[in-house]
Amino acid sequence: VAYYPGGEEDWKKFVKKNLDTKFKGKDNVELRFQVDKNGDLSNFLLLNKAPNQKYEEVVRLLKSSGKWFPSVQNGYCVKSYVRLSFEL
């Protein structure tokens, strides 16, 4: 499974520091994105009916997070999909 460099703890710190949470109300934003074999993120897909501006904020955050460690299969880096949920 692809993951953020530094693991879960560093990911939580990055989100807390960089996610804009100044939106009105609380919504859950679920999305899926691809991490290619080079660690680049793309193909962002909203999986629920979250407001578009909140979805765009999560995509902005992910794009600013840099390269991720890709999934490895049989000793080779491969593209994979990651599913995440954010509350904002």
Side-chain angles (χ1 to χ4, degrees):
V1 175
Y3 63 95
Y4 181 75
E8 185 76 21
E9 204 57 42
D10 281 357
W11 172 243
K12 288 179 182 177
K13 289 177 188 173
F14 177 82
V15 170
K16 187 174 184 177
K17 180 180 177 185
N18 295 288
L19 186 66
D20 183 356
T21 56
K22 296 179 182 96
F23 298 101
K24 289 184 180 177
K26 289 285 181 196
D27 292 284
N28 195 36
V29 180
E30 291 181 45
L31 76 158
R32 184 185 79 185
F33 58 94
Q34 180 181 309
V35 179
D36 71 15
K37 65 183 182 179
N38 297 317
D40 294 314
L41 281 51
S42 63
N43 297 330
F44 300 94
L45 178 66
L46 181 63
L47 299 174
N48 65 351
K49 294 189 182 280
N52 194 52
Q53 64 191 26
K54 293 183 180 185
Y55 164 71
E56 288 175 358
E57 171 56 19
V58 170
V59 170
R60 183 204 62 78
L61 173 81
L62 287 165
K63 286 181 176 180
S64 72
S65 70
K67 289 184 181 281
W68 285 38
F69 287 117
S71 292
V72 176
Q73 188 174 23
N74 298 324
Y76 294 96
C77 293
V78 295
K79 76 175 180 181
S80 63
Y81 289 91
V82 176
R83 186 176 179 155
L84 291 176
S85 184
F86 297 83
E87 186 175 304
L88 65 145

